[in-house]
Amino acid sequence: MADLTLWHNPRCSKSRQAKQILDDRGAAYEVREYLTDAPTAPELDAVLTALGREPWDIARTGEDVAKELGLKAMEHDRDAWIAVMVANPILIERPILVRADGEARLGRPPEDVEQLLG
């Protein structure tokens, strides 16, 4: 198992840029296409904690499903937001790089993933 896991959406340019940075640096990592391999609520909770963020901080509120769910108006209840994001992983901002020791970085800008490469 690799020390790094990239939560990746191949259709996202920022996610592809972060992946390219990892490739260029020769980093050993696993790709988790989180749209088809959605995180569990405990996994997303742990990543949010590692990022020092709340779910509404990394939610893609411009997505159609966010509008349909009225996400912007939803009360800021961490567990409720995590449940919505796990059920609709398109709402999770990407890319996210997670290190085996629990550290994580949001790749916005993509160069931020380099902070976990040492």
Side-chain angles (χ1 to χ4, degrees), residues 4-12 15-16 19 22-23 29-40 43 85-86 88-98:
L4 299 167
T5 302
L6 180 66
W7 289 19
H8 178 60
N9 176 350
R11 296 185 63 198
C12 171
S15 194
R16 289 192 309 270
K19 186 177 183 307
L22 295 172
D23 290 341
Y29 66 98
E30 293 179 1
V31 172
R32 179 173 186 172
E33 291 192 16
Y34 69 95
L35 295 180
T36 56
D37 182 14
T40 64
E43 286 175 321
M85 293 170 84
V86 166
N88 302 279
I90 192 70
L91 297 175
I92 301 170
E93 188 65 87
R94 71 271 178 167
I96 299 173
L97 187 63
V98 182

Side-chain angles (χ1 to χ4, degrees), residues 18-87:
K19 186 177 183 307
Q20 188 63 54
I21 289 167
L22 295 172
D23 290 341
D24 290 348
R25 292 279 303 267
Y29 66 98
E30 293 179 1
V31 172
R32 179 173 186 172
E33 291 192 16
Y34 69 95
L35 295 180
T36 56
D37 182 14
T40 64
E43 286 175 321
L44 183 54
D45 184 57
V47 165
L48 286 163
T49 298
L51 291 170
R53 307 271 181 101
E54 293 295 336
W56 45 87
D57 295 332
I58 69 160
R60 297 180 57 81
T61 57
E63 294 289 339
D64 289 343
V65 68
K67 294 172 187 168
E68 292 166 16
L69 294 170
L71 199 60
K72 283 185 179 179
M74 194 168 133
E75 181 181 338
H76 283 187
D77 175 293
R78 184 179 173 101
D79 291 337
W81 276 69
I82 287 173
V84 167
M85 293 170 84
V86 166

